[in-house]
C-alpha cells in the first residue's frame, strides 16, 4: 500500500513522528512540508489529495494545526472523502460508513502515540458498503453531474 503523507508547519512534528511508524509497513510518499517554518496548508493538502484521487497513492494522511483547513481543502478534490478524526472511534466509522480515503489529523491537538493508534485502526478498518455505498454514490452523483 502506498500512502500520501502531508502537513503544513503546524502538523510537521506529527507528520515526522507518523512517518517513522508508517515507513516500517508501507511505501510513503511525503508531500511536505519539510521543516517547522511556515507553509500554507492548501497547496500541500491539495497536491497530496490529488495523488489519492489519481490513484497514484492508495490512501492519504494529512495534518494541519486543527485539521479543519486541510479537511476543507482536501474535500475540494474530486473523488476525495477526507475525514477529520480526533479519536479511534471516529477513524473506524470514517472507514466503515464513509470509506474515507484521506485521514486528516489535528497536529496541535493530539499526542503522537494516540495519533498513531488512530492511523493504525483507520488503515485496518474496512468499508461496510451496503446502505453506506448508496450514500457515497449520491455524493459521487453530485460531484459528477452537479445534481442531487
Ligand atoms: C496554521 O497556523 C493553521 O491555521 C493551520 O495549520 C490549520 O489549523 C488551518 O486550518
Amino acid at each position: 500500500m502506498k500512502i500520501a503523507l502531508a502537513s503544513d508547519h503546524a502538523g510537521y512534528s506529527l507528520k515526522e513522528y507518523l512517518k517513522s511508524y508508517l515507513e516500517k509497513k508501507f511505501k510513503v510518499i511525503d508531500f511536505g512540508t519539510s521543516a517547522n517554518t511556515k507553509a500554507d496548508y492548501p497547496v500541500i493538502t491539495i497536491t497530496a489529495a490529488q495523488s489519492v484521487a489519481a490513484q497514484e497513492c492508495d490512501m492519504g494522511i494529512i495534518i494541519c494545526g486543527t485539521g479543519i483547513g486541510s479537511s476543507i481543502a482536501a474535500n475540494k478534490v474530486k473523488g476525495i472523502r477526507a475525514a477529520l478524526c480526533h479519536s479511534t472511534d471516529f477513524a473506524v466509522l470514517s472507514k466503515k460508513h464513509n470509506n474515507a480515503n484521506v485521514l486528516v489529523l489535528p497536529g496541535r491537538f493530539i499526542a503522537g502515540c494516540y495519533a498513531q493508534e488512530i492511523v493504525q485502526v483507520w488503515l485496518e478498518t474496512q468499508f461496510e458498503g451496503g446502505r453506506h455505498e448508496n450514500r457515497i454514490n449520491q455524493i459521487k452523483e453530485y460531484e459528477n453531474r452537479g445534481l442531487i
Side-chain angles (χ1 to χ4, degrees):
M1 175 161 26
K2 205 190 274 188
I3 297 178
L5 185 63
S7 77
D8 70 355
H9 56 285
Y12 175 72
S13 302
L14 181 57
K15 173 172 73 70
E16 293 304 299
Y17 181 95
L18 293 174
K19 191 173 166 182
S20 333
Y21 160 72
L22 289 166
E23 280 182 338
K24 291 182 189 129
K25 302 180 168 197
F26 310 104
K27 177 140 181 62
V28 176
I29 310 293
D30 187 345
F31 286 86
T33 188
S34 54
N36 276 318
T37 46
K38 284 205 186 305
D40 295 337
Y41 66 81
V43 173
I44 296 166
T45 295
I46 289 170
T47 306
Q50 281 175 329
S51 78
V52 177
Q55 298 181 339
E56 292 155 10
C57 290
D58 301 295
M59 307 266 174
I61 298 172
I62 304 179
I63 308 157
C64 66
T66 58
I68 296 170
S70 285
S71 302
I72 294 170
N75 279 313
K76 300 290 180 197
V77 177
K78 186 176 171 186
I80 291 302
R81 294 176 300 280
L84 170 56
C85 295
H86 288 247
S87 72
T88 50
D89 287 343
F90 273 47
V92 166
L93 288 169
S94 79
K95 260 299 184 54
K96 282 188 173 177
H97 290 191
N98 312 110
N99 201 13
N101 50 13
V102 169
L103 171 68
V104 183
L105 294 168
R108 285 184 172 146
F109 295 89
I110 197 163
C113 54
Y114 190 51
Q116 186 175 310
E117 270 183 58
I118 291 175
V119 166
Q120 188 182 340
V121 296
W122 185 72
L123 290 171
E124 285 170 0
T125 304
Q126 300 299 314
F127 180 45
E128 279 180 357
R131 67 189 191 281
H132 302 297
E133 181 118 55
N134 297 338
R135 292 162 185 165
I136 287 175
N137 284 339
Q138 290 170 21
I139 297 171
K140 286 184 181 165
E141 179 79 358
Y142 179 72
E143 271 186 331
N144 290 328
R145 305 202 310 135
L147 297 173
I148 205 80

